[in-house]
Amino acid sequence: SAVISQKPSRDICQRGTSLTIQCQVDSQVTMMFWYRQQPGQSLTLIATANQGSEATYESGFVIDKFPISRPNLTFSTLTVSNMSPEDSSIYLCSVVPSGGTHQAVEQYFGPGTRLTVT
Amino acid sequence: GQQVMQIPQYQHVQEGEDFTTYCNSSTTLSNIQWYKQRPGGHPVFLIQLVKSGEVKKQKRLTFQFGEAKKNSSLHITATQTTDVGTYFCAGKTGGGSNYKLTFGKGTLLTVNP
């Protein structure tokens, strides 16, 4: 498994501003993902954070709104840009540890960042 | 795109009763995983099923993967208050380096002591 930390754990932001969320892992990992989870809802994949290259975004999510960086194998950031109240959600990073097979793809989640946009 | 349906959405039981949640995919899965999310917490990996018809047990939890690899179930025997939380199934399609999962909507289990 992997130990994952996220910063900040929560924040309240004004509309129109941007927030950068950090995800730090205690070991090198193969894959890192960013999800959004609205209260009481399921997890929606925003993008796959690729080390050294542009993130791969899911349908409905774009780089201008959710720029992602992954400078190395243990760290990634997600920025929520030009926020509106609809962006209020929990943002989670997850990782697939290195060393697994293509079949062993269990994901380990960070504690999440609870974002409220007013 | 791939869809993973999960029922029921909510389940309230008395402590000691059994609980089952069902997951159904629109496409054949290469594997399926189950996660538990406690209230206020983050999803925690429980188990992964890979083989057609596979059954795995973890103490009071029994996980099954259908023969067609399109459905799965999680059964909890004699629920306890510590079982409270939302249980998500998550399906993976394809092989190779595709690590993406599609999550079901989850089943929220509450247990009355």
Side-chain angles (χ1 to χ4, degrees):
Chain A
S1 64
V3 177
I4 306 162
S5 60
Q6 278 186 241
K7 290 182 183 179
S9 59
R10 59 178 64 225
D11 207 342
I12 301 173
C13 302
Q14 291 190 339
R15 69 176 67 204
T17 63
S18 298
L19 176 71
T20 295
I21 302 167
Q22 299 180 4
C23 178
Q24 178 74 55
V25 193
D26 69 339
S27 58
Q28 293 186 350
V29 295
T30 302
M31 306 291 289
M32 294 181 80
F33 301 95
W34 286 98
Y35 288 86
R36 183 169 71 183
Q37 184 179 32
Q38 294 180 321
Q41 302 297 313
S42 186
L43 292 95
T44 301
L45 181 63
I46 298 172
T48 303
N50 300 309
Q51 193 264 328
S53 64
E54 192 172 287
T56 304
Y57 290 84
E58 297 302 303
S59 175
F61 298 95
V62 295
I63 188 171
D64 289 347
K65 176 67 175 176
F66 297 101
I68 289 170
S69 78
R70 189 179 174 193
N72 56 53
L73 294 176
T74 64
F75 184 78
S76 177
T77 66
L78 167 74
T79 299
V80 186
S81 303
N82 188 24
M83 288 183 285
S84 66
E86 291 72 34
D87 295 320
S88 297
S89 190
I90 299 171
Y91 292 85
L92 296 134
C93 69
S94 76
V95 306
V96 175
S98 298
T101 66
H102 290 314
Q103 293 280 44
V105 292
E106 63 265 27
Q107 294 186 17
Y108 296 91
F109 286 82
T113 296
R114 184 180 294 272
L115 170 62
T116 303
V117 184
T118 59
Chain B
Q2 180 194 8
Q3 290 188 348
V4 175
M5 311 300 291
Q6 193 173 350
I7 59 169
Q9 189 174 0
Y10 307 99
Q11 184 79 61
H12 178 74
V13 300
Q14 289 291 127
E15 189 171 23
E17 293 182 338
D18 292 355
F19 160 77
T20 305
T21 174
Y22 300 91
C23 192
N24 191 56
S25 170
S26 58
T27 58
T28 302
L29 301 170
S30 59
N31 71 51
I32 194 157
Q33 301 173 22
W34 286 90
Y35 293 79
K36 177 182 178 182
Q37 185 174 26
R38 287 199 162 96
H42 58 276
V44 174
F45 173 77
L46 293 176
I47 208 159
Q48 175 176 260
L49 304 170
V50 177
K51 299 176 183 176
S52 169
E54 189 170 13
V55 178
K56 287 188 177 180
K57 293 191 176 184
Q58 288 180 350
K59 297 183 181 178
R60 294 178 293 102
L61 278 63
T62 302
F63 304 84
Q64 293 189 332
F65 201 11
E67 293 290 341
K69 300 184 73 173
K70 295 179 74 173
N71 56 73
S72 181
S73 65
L74 159 59
H75 179 81
I76 302 178
T77 304
T79 54
Q80 300 174 358
T81 54
T82 53
D83 295 325
V84 165
T86 301
Y87 292 85
F88 292 98
C89 62
K92 175 184 177 296
T93 57
S97 59
N98 174 18
Y99 293 94
K100 283 172 38 177
L101 297 175
T102 301
F103 281 80
K105 291 188 180 297
T107 297
L108 172 60
L109 171 65
T110 54
V111 180
N112 199 30

